[in-house]
Amino acid sequence: MEDIKCHCGHANPVGTYLCEACGNPIGEEIKDNNAVLDMRYEGAARRSQTYNKTIVDKVWNFFSSVKIAVYMIIIVLLASILGTVFPQEMYIPVPKPANIYYAEAYGTLGELYYQLGFHNLYTSWWYVSLLLMIGISLVVCSIDRIIPLYKALKKQRVRHNPNFLTRQKLSTQIETPAQWSEKLEQIEGLLKKKRFQVKREGDALLAEKSRFSRWGPYVNHVGLIIFLIGVLLRLIPGFYLDQYVWVRDGEIKKVPDTDYYVKNEAFIIEYYADHEFPEDIGLGAGDKVVKTYKTKAVLYENLNAGLPGAEPKLEQVTEHEILVNHPLKYKDLQLFQSGQKPNSLSALNITLFNETTGVEIGRFKIDLYDPQKEYKINDEVTVKILEYFPDFEFTEDKKPMTKSTNPDNPAFILTTITPETPVGEKSWLFLGSYLPAPGVDNIYGFRFHMPDLTNITGLMVRKDKSLPLIYFGCFVTMIGLVMGFYWQHRRIWIQTEGAKVYLAGHTNKNWFGLKKEIKEIMDKVEVPVLLEEKGKGGKQS
């Protein structure tokens, strides 16, 4: 493709519509038109508007389109809203398979939600792909525009074709005033006082200030790209962790997806005493107001974490009293106080007895968190656990199941093996009651005693290595917004051609401010001007 030659003799790259040398319009659609010139990219050639032959050109043009970028952002926003209609799978309150939970909890809409994959929306391939495409679009859009804009502004000239000046949004022509050379010197001095950078070529002048504001949108793009990189880093294992762990008093439990273990030495609920209230708040007898939830926690590191099959070798690394909004912090790991289950079931204390004679055979204890497969009552009697349902309920077709792994409503199917029942006799054991197997008269029964209770603390586990990058991206974005919103790139051209003086101005925003600034300067040198602010059609507005 051949260069486009201007009548001034300068050869411009294909796609240029304002001559790089004189500023004269050379694009076919604008050179014979009196419309105000589009100065967004100084008339420089942009790759996306010049080439469209190869696959690379078409891909580049696709991602450089602002319209397509806006469509992608709208799709991501709508998808993100849909992802909040029902809980994501990682936040399902009960440990059920997602295909069962959504249908049971939310009916047909829940089933559709699951089938469409919205239960894991924010980590789905298409959602992540859209974020990547938005990031690529930001990069391509910026490169496609900033490089030609930078080149055009860097080599802009002082003297331009009069056609360039008269087709600026702010422009006027006046007869050359008396003592114009001295007045032009005064104008130059006044412009410098207003922090304009001034260039002179004889009787032509170019004044410019706040060019950096033109880079504001691109700095904003850089910040958004950094932000997106931080968000996508969360998908890499080890960069982001959002888990939950329940720990009983005295229990040491593995912190999910880490090499650490946490011990709950004691979970404590403190209440306000009556004298701590400045006035009566109407509490009933026995009513209490919680003052604080506290977990005395110890964090251990597993030194054998990298050895497959090795037993955990724990070394204490820190301890802390975890309060609400005062987490345990170690390196990039944080444990927040988030839940509590005071006086929760821990173990059942049961006596086996002969229902015919009433004679007690013996006592045994079932740990609801780690039940044994069988309990030896004495040399002749054994109780075996056939099935265990920690949180028992029936399904719609009357089959037993457990809603969760938490022993909130424990139930067992047991068999008792004795010399009288060598094949064993089955029983259903519930919390505080038992039933023989259907159609069977059992010899042995069970008596329940006060169960063992324990306090359980709920700890939210957080790790986010990407957060500093996300914050930095937000900071860079704010810099770009401030650059673009609070400063304006202003330029003033003054050029003498024979008996006429051409005066023109351009800014990317706040035209009234530029117009006022030019008028103040010209009034001080006693050269009255009437600036025309033209609309898109070239007419005065």
Side-chain angles (χ1 to χ4, degrees):
M1 300 178 72
E2 297 183 359
D3 290 343
I4 303 174
K5 199 166 186 178
C6 179
H7 69 79
C8 71
H10 181 76
N12 297 275
V14 175
T16 305
Y17 60 89
L18 293 180
C19 178
E20 296 174 332
C22 67
N24 190 48
I26 56 177
E28 291 296 330
E29 67 278 7
I30 65 170
K31 67 180 182 180
D32 296 325
N33 190 344
N34 291 323
V36 173
L37 295 177
D38 184 356
M39 299 288 289
R40 283 182 299 171
Y41 310 108
E42 304 297 309
R46 286 167 47 203
R47 190 186 193 284
S48 61
Q49 295 183 343
T50 306
Y51 304 101
N52 193 29
K53 290 185 176 181
T54 67
I55 294 177
V56 174
D57 294 336
K58 294 182 185 299
V59 172
W60 181 274
N61 295 347
F62 175 84
F63 283 107
S64 67
S65 170
V66 174
K67 184 185 293 185
I68 290 174
V70 170
Y71 288 153
M72 288 191 292
I73 291 171
I74 291 173
I75 292 171
V76 167
L77 289 175
L78 292 176
S80 300
I81 292 170
L82 285 174
T84 64
V85 173
F86 299 129
Q88 293 289 287
E89 184 176 9
M90 65 184 297
Y91 297 114
I92 290 177
V94 294
K96 281 186 180 180
N99 60 332
I100 297 175
Y101 171 77
Y102 286 100
E104 288 186 356
Y106 306 108
T108 304
L109 284 177
E111 177 68 19
L112 182 63
Y113 194 81
Y114 171 78
Q115 293 296 333
L116 292 174
F118 292 156
H119 63 296
N120 279 320
L121 185 142
Y122 304 112
T123 55
S124 62
W125 67 268
W126 61 269
Y127 186 85
V128 174
S129 298
L130 278 172
L131 292 180
L132 284 170
M133 290 173 69
I134 290 173
I136 294 170
S137 180
L138 285 170
V139 173
V140 173
C141 279
S142 299
I143 294 174
D144 188 62
R145 290 159 174 79
I146 196 172
I147 291 177
L149 178 62
Y150 172 77
K151 289 180 178 179
L153 289 176
K154 185 178 180 181
K155 59 185 180 183
Q156 62 180 326
R157 301 191 180 186
V158 176
R159 187 174 291 277
H160 288 80
N161 187 290
N163 192 22
F164 172 85
L165 300 174
T166 57
R167 290 176 64 178
Q168 294 298 319
K169 189 172 182 178
L170 281 181
S171 66
T172 190
Q173 305 171 41
I174 59 173
E175 297 295 327
T176 305
Q179 300 180 331
W180 176 238
S181 297
E182 291 81 358
K183 291 182 183 296
L184 194 58
E185 292 289 340
Q186 295 176 28
I187 291 171
E188 181 180 352
L190 292 170
L191 287 169
K192 287 180 178 179
K193 286 182 179 180
K194 288 183 174 289
R195 299 183 181 179
F196 280 89
Q197 292 181 331
V198 181
K199 294 181 181 179
R200 285 282 301 271
E201 283 186 12
D203 54 2
L205 175 151
L206 167 62
E208 180 183 26
K209 71 175 178 181
S210 302
R211 183 194 295 184
F212 68 88
S213 68
R214 295 289 289 273
W215 315 127
Y218 306 105
V219 173
N220 189 16
H221 286 182
V222 171
L224 291 174
I225 291 166
I226 294 172
F227 179 88
L228 277 176
I229 291 172
V231 171
L232 293 174
L233 280 176
R234 290 182 165 194
L235 302 176
I236 300 175
F239 268 87
Y240 181 72
L241 181 64
D242 185 1
Q243 292 284 0
Y244 206 93
V245 61
W246 291 97
V247 192
R248 290 173 288 157
D249 281 354
E251 181 185 18
I252 298 178
K253 199 165 186 178
K254 189 177 187 306
V255 179
D257 299 333
T258 69
D259 297 333
Y260 299 100
Y261 286 72
V262 62
K263 180 181 181 182
N264 172 16
E265 291 194 324
F267 173 68
I268 302 168
I269 302 178
E270 295 181 354
Y271 299 92
Y272 284 102
D274 292 340
H275 67 271
E276 293 184 85
F277 295 106
E279 59 183 33
D280 184 13
I281 61 173
L283 291 177
D287 290 342
K288 297 180 180 179
V289 177
V290 174
K291 185 177 184 180
T292 184
Y293 299 102
K294 181 192 303 182
T295 300
K296 294 183 178 180
V298 180
L299 189 68
Y300 299 91
E301 184 175 6
N302 181 13
L303 302 180
N304 289 341
L307 302 175
E311 289 293 323
K313 183 180 179 182
L314 304 183
E315 180 181 87
Q316 181 176 331
V317 292
T318 188
E319 58 182 312
H320 183 70
E321 285 192 353
I322 303 175
L323 303 171
V324 177
N325 297 326
H326 296 278
L328 180 152
K329 296 181 181 179
Y330 181 72
K331 294 184 178 178
D332 52 7
L333 182 71
Q334 297 184 88
L335 300 179
F336 291 85
Q337 184 66 57
S338 182
Q340 68 285 329
K341 293 182 180 179
N343 299 322
S344 296
L345 287 171
S346 176
L348 298 181
N349 296 303
I350 304 170
T351 295
L352 180 69
F353 70 98
N354 188 307
E355 288 195 348
T356 305
T357 63
V359 175
E360 292 188 359
I361 309 300
R363 288 194 176 194
F364 63 101
K365 176 184 290 189
I366 301 178
D367 186 338
L368 297 176
Y369 289 91
D370 186 21
Q372 301 175 28
K373 290 185 178 180
E374 61 179 53
Y375 294 88
K376 198 79 172 175
I377 308 303
N378 57 39
D379 293 338
E380 296 181 334
V381 179
T382 301
V383 175
K384 291 185 177 181
I385 295 180
L386 302 179
E387 289 192 66
Y388 173 39
F389 306 95
D391 196 1
F392 172 77
E393 75 168 8
F394 281 113
T395 62
E396 292 182 358
D397 53 354
K398 302 302 180 182
K399 291 183 179 180
M401 65 164 290
T402 182
K403 293 189 293 184
S404 71
T405 57
N406 301 319
D408 295 330
N409 185 30
F412 300 86
I413 299 178
L414 308 177
T415 183
T416 305
I417 301 173
T418 67
E420 293 86 356
T421 57
V423 296
E425 60 177 25
K426 289 185 179 180
S427 302
W428 272 92
L429 191 70
F430 302 99
L431 187 60
S433 63
Y434 71 97
L435 292 172
V440 178
D441 292 329
N442 285 0
I443 300 173
Y444 297 94
F446 302 90
R447 291 195 185 102
F448 294 86
H449 305 281
M450 181 65 186
D452 291 353
L453 302 177
T454 186
N455 292 327
I456 307 175
T457 184
L459 301 177
M460 183 183 293
V461 183
R462 284 288 178 88
K463 181 169 68 171
D464 194 350
K465 293 182 179 180
S466 64
L467 207 55
L469 193 62
I470 291 174
Y471 284 150
F472 179 67
C474 292
F475 176 72
V476 173
T477 300
M478 288 303 301
I479 291 176
L481 291 173
V482 170
M483 287 173 61
F485 277 119
Y486 293 99
W487 281 272
Q488 305 94 40
H489 180 211
R490 293 183 175 181
R491 282 176 290 176
I492 299 172
W493 295 275
I494 301 176
Q495 185 171 312
T496 306
E497 295 286 341
K500 284 188 176 181
V501 174
Y502 292 89
L503 175 61
H506 181 270
T507 182
N508 57 333
K509 61 175 68 70
N510 191 8
W511 291 91
F512 176 79
L514 176 62
K515 187 176 180 179
K516 181 181 178 183
E517 203 164 31
I518 294 174
K519 192 174 186 308
E520 285 178 359
I521 291 172
M522 300 307 287
D523 287 346
K524 286 182 179 180
V525 297
E526 298 179 350
V527 179
V529 294
L530 179 62
L531 282 171
E532 297 179 359
E533 185 175 344
K534 303 172 185 175
K536 290 185 178 180
K539 297 180 180 179
Q540 182 176 348
S541 60

Coordinates of all heavy atoms in Angstrom, one line a residue, residues 335-385:
L335 N -7.1 -16.8 59.9 CA -8.2 -17.6 60.5 C -9.1 -16.6 61.2 O -8.7 -16.0 62.2 CB -7.7 -18.7 61.4 CG -6.8 -19.7 60.8 CD1 -6.4 -20.7 61.9 CD2 -7.4 -20.4 59.7
F336 N -10.3 -16.5 60.7 CA -11.3 -15.6 61.3 C -12.3 -16.3 62.1 O -12.8 -17.4 61.8 CB -12.1 -14.8 60.2 CG -11.2 -13.8 59.4 CD1 -10.4 -14.3 58.3 CD2 -11.2 -12.5 59.7 CE1 -9.7 -13.4 57.6 CE2 -10.4 -11.6 59.0 CZ -9.7 -12.0 58.0
Q337 N -12.8 -15.7 63.3 CA -13.9 -16.2 64.0 C -15.2 -16.0 63.3 O -15.5 -14.8 62.9 CB -14.0 -15.5 65.4 CG -15.0 -16.0 66.3 CD -14.7 -17.5 66.7 OE1 -13.7 -17.8 67.3 NE2 -15.7 -18.4 66.5
S338 N -15.9 -17.1 62.9 CA -17.0 -16.9 62.0 C -18.2 -17.7 62.5 O -19.3 -17.3 62.0 CB -16.6 -17.4 60.6 OG -17.6 -17.2 59.7
G339 N -18.1 -18.7 63.3 CA -19.3 -19.4 63.7 C -19.1 -20.1 65.1 O -17.9 -20.1 65.6
Q340 N -20.1 -20.6 65.6 CA -20.0 -21.3 66.9 C -21.2 -22.3 67.1 O -22.3 -22.1 66.6 CB -20.0 -20.3 68.1 CG -21.4 -19.5 68.3 CD -21.6 -18.5 67.3 OE1 -20.7 -17.9 66.8 NE2 -22.9 -18.2 67.0
K341 N -20.9 -23.3 67.8 CA -21.9 -24.3 68.2 C -21.6 -24.8 69.6 O -21.0 -25.8 69.9 CB -21.8 -25.6 67.3 CG -22.2 -25.3 65.8 CD -22.1 -26.6 65.0 CE -22.5 -26.4 63.6 NZ -22.4 -27.7 62.8
P342 N -22.1 -23.9 70.6 CA -21.8 -24.3 72.0 C -22.7 -25.5 72.4 O -23.8 -25.7 71.9 CB -22.2 -23.0 72.7 CG -23.2 -22.3 71.8 CD -22.8 -22.6 70.4
N343 N -22.2 -26.3 73.3 CA -22.9 -27.4 73.8 C -23.4 -28.4 72.7 O -24.6 -28.8 72.7 CB -24.1 -27.0 74.7 CG -23.6 -26.1 75.9 OD1 -22.5 -26.4 76.5 ND2 -24.3 -25.1 76.3
S344 N -22.6 -28.7 71.8 CA -22.9 -29.6 70.8 C -22.7 -31.0 71.2 O -21.8 -31.3 72.0 CB -22.1 -29.3 69.5 OG -22.4 -28.0 69.0
L345 N -23.4 -32.0 70.6 CA -23.2 -33.4 70.9 C -21.8 -33.8 70.5 O -21.3 -33.5 69.4 CB -24.2 -34.2 70.1 CG -25.7 -34.2 70.6 CD1 -26.6 -34.9 69.6 CD2 -25.8 -34.8 72.0
S346 N -21.2 -34.6 71.4 CA -19.8 -35.1 71.1 C -19.8 -36.6 71.2 O -19.2 -37.3 70.4 CB -18.8 -34.5 72.2 OG -17.6 -35.1 72.0
A347 N -20.5 -37.2 72.2 CA -20.5 -38.6 72.3 C -21.8 -39.1 73.0 O -22.4 -38.3 73.8 CB -19.3 -39.1 73.1
L348 N -22.2 -40.3 72.7 CA -23.4 -40.9 73.4 C -22.9 -41.9 74.4 O -22.1 -42.8 74.1 CB -24.3 -41.6 72.3 CG -24.9 -40.7 71.2 CD1 -25.8 -41.5 70.3 CD2 -25.7 -39.6 71.8
N349 N -23.5 -41.8 75.6 CA -23.2 -42.8 76.7 C -24.4 -43.7 76.8 O -25.5 -43.3 77.1 CB -23.0 -42.0 78.0 CG -21.7 -41.1 77.9 OD1 -20.7 -41.6 77.7 ND2 -21.9 -39.9 78.2
I350 N -24.2 -45.0 76.6 CA -25.3 -46.0 76.4 C -25.0 -47.2 77.3 O -23.8 -47.6 77.5 CB -25.4 -46.4 75.0 CG1 -25.6 -45.2 74.0 CG2 -26.5 -47.4 74.8 CD1 -25.5 -45.5 72.6
T351 N -26.1 -47.7 77.9 CA -26.0 -49.0 78.6 C -26.8 -50.1 77.8 O -27.9 -49.8 77.4 CB -26.6 -48.8 80.0 OG1 -25.8 -47.9 80.8 CG2 -26.7 -50.2 80.7
L352 N -26.2 -51.2 77.6 CA -26.8 -52.4 77.0 C -27.4 -53.2 78.2 O -26.7 -53.5 79.1 CB -25.8 -53.2 76.2 CG -26.4 -54.4 75.5 CD1 -27.3 -54.0 74.4 CD2 -25.2 -55.3 75.0
F353 N -28.7 -53.6 78.0 CA -29.4 -54.4 79.1 C -30.2 -55.5 78.5 O -30.6 -55.4 77.3 CB -30.2 -53.5 80.0 CG -31.4 -52.9 79.4 CD1 -32.6 -53.5 79.6 CD2 -31.4 -51.8 78.6 CE1 -33.8 -53.0 79.1 CE2 -32.5 -51.3 78.0 CZ -33.7 -51.9 78.3
N354 N -30.5 -56.4 79.3 CA -31.4 -57.5 78.9 C -32.9 -57.1 79.2 O -33.2 -56.8 80.3 CB -31.1 -58.8 79.6 CG -31.9 -60.0 79.1 OD1 -33.1 -60.0 79.0 ND2 -31.1 -61.1 78.8
E355 N -33.7 -57.0 78.1 CA -35.1 -56.5 78.3 C -35.9 -57.5 79.1 O -36.9 -57.1 79.7 CB -35.7 -56.3 76.9 CG -35.1 -55.1 76.2 CD -36.0 -54.6 75.0 OE1 -36.9 -55.4 74.7 OE2 -35.8 -53.5 74.5
T356 N -35.6 -58.8 79.1 CA -36.4 -59.8 79.8 C -36.1 -59.7 81.3 O -37.1 -59.7 82.1 CB -36.1 -61.2 79.3 OG1 -36.3 -61.2 77.9 CG2 -37.0 -62.2 80.0
T357 N -34.8 -59.6 81.7 CA -34.5 -59.7 83.1 C -34.2 -58.3 83.7 O -34.2 -58.1 84.9 CB -33.2 -60.5 83.3 OG1 -32.1 -59.9 82.6 CG2 -33.5 -61.9 82.8
G358 N -33.9 -57.3 82.7 CA -33.6 -56.0 83.2 C -32.1 -55.8 83.6 O -31.7 -54.8 84.1
V359 N -31.4 -56.9 83.5 CA -30.0 -56.9 83.9 C -29.1 -56.1 83.0 O -29.2 -56.3 81.8 CB -29.4 -58.4 84.1 CG1 -27.9 -58.3 84.4 CG2 -30.2 -59.1 85.1
E360 N -28.3 -55.2 83.5 CA -27.3 -54.4 82.7 C -26.2 -55.3 82.3 O -25.5 -56.0 83.1 CB -26.8 -53.2 83.5 CG -27.9 -52.1 83.7 CD -27.3 -50.9 84.3 OE1 -26.1 -50.8 84.5 OE2 -28.0 -49.9 84.6
I361 N -25.9 -55.3 81.0 CA -24.8 -56.0 80.5 C -23.5 -55.2 80.5 O -22.4 -55.8 80.8 CB -25.0 -56.5 79.0 CG1 -26.4 -57.1 78.9 CG2 -23.9 -57.4 78.5 CD1 -26.6 -58.4 79.7
G362 N -23.5 -53.9 80.3 CA -22.4 -53.1 80.3 C -22.6 -51.7 79.6 O -23.6 -51.6 78.9
R363 N -21.7 -50.8 79.8 CA -21.8 -49.5 79.2 C -20.7 -49.3 78.1 O -19.7 -50.0 78.2 CB -21.6 -48.4 80.3 CG -22.7 -48.2 81.3 CD -22.5 -46.9 82.0 NE -23.6 -46.6 82.9 CZ -23.9 -45.5 83.5 NH1 -23.1 -44.4 83.2 NH2 -24.9 -45.3 84.3
F364 N -21.1 -48.5 77.2 CA -20.1 -48.1 76.1 C -20.4 -46.7 75.6 O -21.5 -46.2 75.8 CB -20.1 -49.1 75.0 CG -21.4 -49.2 74.2 CD1 -21.6 -48.6 73.0 CD2 -22.5 -49.9 74.7 CE1 -22.7 -48.6 72.3 CE2 -23.7 -50.0 74.0 CZ -23.8 -49.3 72.7
K365 N -19.4 -46.1 75.1 CA -19.5 -44.7 74.6 C -19.2 -44.7 73.1 O -18.2 -45.2 72.6 CB -18.5 -43.8 75.3 CG -18.5 -42.4 74.8 CD -17.5 -41.5 75.6 CE -17.9 -41.3 77.0 NZ -17.0 -40.3 77.7
I366 N -20.1 -44.0 72.3 CA -19.9 -43.8 70.9 C -19.5 -42.4 70.6 O -20.2 -41.4 70.9 CB -21.2 -44.1 70.1 CG1 -21.7 -45.6 70.4 CG2 -21.0 -43.9 68.6 CD1 -23.0 -45.9 69.6
D367 N -18.2 -42.3 70.2 CA -17.8 -40.9 69.7 C -18.4 -40.6 68.4 O -18.2 -41.3 67.4 CB -16.2 -41.0 69.6 CG -15.6 -39.6 69.3 OD1 -16.4 -38.7 68.8 OD2 -14.4 -39.4 69.5
L368 N -19.2 -39.6 68.4 CA -20.0 -39.2 67.2 C -19.2 -38.7 66.1 O -19.6 -38.6 64.9 CB -21.1 -38.2 67.6 CG -22.1 -38.7 68.6 CD1 -23.1 -37.6 68.9 CD2 -22.9 -39.9 68.0
Y369 N -17.9 -38.3 66.4 CA -17.1 -37.8 65.3 C -16.1 -38.9 64.8 O -15.6 -38.8 63.7 CB -16.2 -36.6 65.8 CG -17.1 -35.4 66.0 CD1 -17.7 -35.1 67.2 CD2 -17.3 -34.5 65.0 CE1 -18.5 -33.9 67.4 CE2 -18.0 -33.3 65.1 CZ -18.6 -33.1 66.3 OH -19.4 -31.9 66.5
D370 N -15.9 -39.9 65.6 CA -15.0 -41.0 65.2 C -15.5 -42.3 65.8 O -14.9 -42.9 66.7 CB -13.6 -40.7 65.6 CG -12.6 -41.7 65.1 OD1 -12.9 -42.4 64.1 OD2 -11.5 -41.8 65.6
P371 N -16.7 -42.8 65.4 CA -17.2 -44.0 66.0 C -16.4 -45.2 65.6 O -16.0 -45.3 64.4 CB -18.7 -44.1 65.4 CG -18.6 -43.3 64.1 CD -17.6 -42.2 64.3
Q372 N -16.3 -46.2 66.5 CA -15.6 -47.4 66.2 C -16.6 -48.4 65.4 O -17.8 -48.2 65.5 CB -15.1 -48.1 67.5 CG -14.2 -47.3 68.3 CD -13.8 -48.0 69.6 OE1 -13.9 -49.2 69.7 NE2 -13.5 -47.2 70.6
K373 N -16.0 -49.4 64.8 CA -16.8 -50.3 64.0 C -17.5 -51.3 65.0 O -18.6 -51.8 64.7 CB -16.0 -51.1 63.0 CG -15.5 -50.2 61.8 CD -14.8 -51.0 60.8 CE -14.4 -50.1 59.6 NZ -13.7 -50.9 58.6
E374 N -16.9 -51.6 66.1 CA -17.5 -52.5 67.1 C -17.0 -52.1 68.5 O -15.9 -51.5 68.7 CB -17.2 -53.9 66.8 CG -15.7 -54.3 66.8 CD -15.5 -55.8 66.5 OE1 -16.0 -56.3 65.5 OE2 -14.8 -56.4 67.3
Y375 N -17.9 -52.4 69.5 CA -17.6 -52.2 70.9 C -17.7 -53.5 71.7 O -18.7 -54.1 71.6 CB -18.6 -51.1 71.4 CG -18.4 -49.8 70.8 CD1 -19.1 -49.5 69.6 CD2 -17.6 -48.8 71.3 CE1 -19.0 -48.2 69.0 CE2 -17.5 -47.5 70.7 CZ -18.1 -47.3 69.6 OH -18.0 -46.0 69.0
K376 N -16.6 -53.8 72.3 CA -16.6 -55.0 73.1 C -17.1 -54.7 74.5 O -16.5 -54.0 75.3 CB -15.1 -55.5 73.2 CG -15.0 -57.0 73.6 CD -15.2 -57.9 72.5 CE -14.9 -59.3 72.9 NZ -15.3 -60.3 71.8
I377 N -18.4 -55.2 74.8 CA -19.0 -54.9 76.1 C -18.4 -55.8 77.2 O -18.1 -55.3 78.3 CB -20.5 -55.2 76.0 CG1 -21.1 -54.4 74.8 CG2 -21.2 -54.7 77.3 CD1 -20.9 -52.9 74.8
N378 N -18.2 -57.1 76.9 CA -17.5 -58.0 77.8 C -17.0 -59.2 76.9 O -17.0 -59.1 75.6 CB -18.4 -58.6 78.9 CG -19.7 -59.2 78.4 OD1 -19.7 -59.9 77.4 ND2 -20.8 -59.0 79.1
D379 N -16.5 -60.2 77.5 CA -15.9 -61.3 76.7 C -16.9 -62.0 75.8 O -16.5 -62.6 74.8 CB -15.3 -62.4 77.7 CG -14.1 -61.8 78.4 OD1 -13.5 -60.8 77.9 OD2 -13.8 -62.3 79.5
E380 N -18.2 -61.9 76.1 CA -19.2 -62.6 75.3 C -20.1 -61.7 74.4 O -20.8 -62.2 73.5 CB -20.1 -63.4 76.2 CG -19.4 -64.5 77.0 CD -20.3 -65.3 77.8 OE1 -21.4 -64.8 78.3 OE2 -20.0 -66.5 78.1
V381 N -20.1 -60.4 74.7 CA -21.1 -59.5 74.1 C -20.3 -58.4 73.3 O -19.4 -57.8 73.8 CB -22.0 -58.9 75.1 CG1 -23.0 -57.9 74.4 CG2 -22.8 -59.9 75.9
T382 N -20.7 -58.3 72.0 CA -20.1 -57.2 71.1 C -21.3 -56.5 70.4 O -22.2 -57.1 69.9 CB -19.2 -57.9 70.1 OG1 -18.1 -58.6 70.8 CG2 -18.6 -56.8 69.2
V383 N -21.1 -55.2 70.3 CA -22.1 -54.4 69.6 C -21.3 -53.8 68.4 O -20.3 -53.2 68.5 CB -22.6 -53.2 70.4 CG1 -23.5 -52.3 69.6 CG2 -23.4 -53.7 71.6
K384 N -21.9 -54.1 67.2 CA -21.2 -53.6 65.9 C -22.1 -52.5 65.3 O -23.3 -52.6 65.3 CB -21.1 -54.8 64.9 CG -20.0 -55.8 65.4 CD -19.8 -56.8 64.3 CE -18.7 -57.8 64.6 NZ -18.5 -58.8 63.5
I385 N -21.4 -51.5 64.7 CA -22.1 -50.5 64.0 C -22.1 -50.9 62.5 O -21.1 -51.0 61.9 CB -21.5 -49.1 64.2 CG1 -21.6 -48.7 65.7 CG2 -22.1 -48.1 63.3 CD1 -20.9 -47.4 66.0

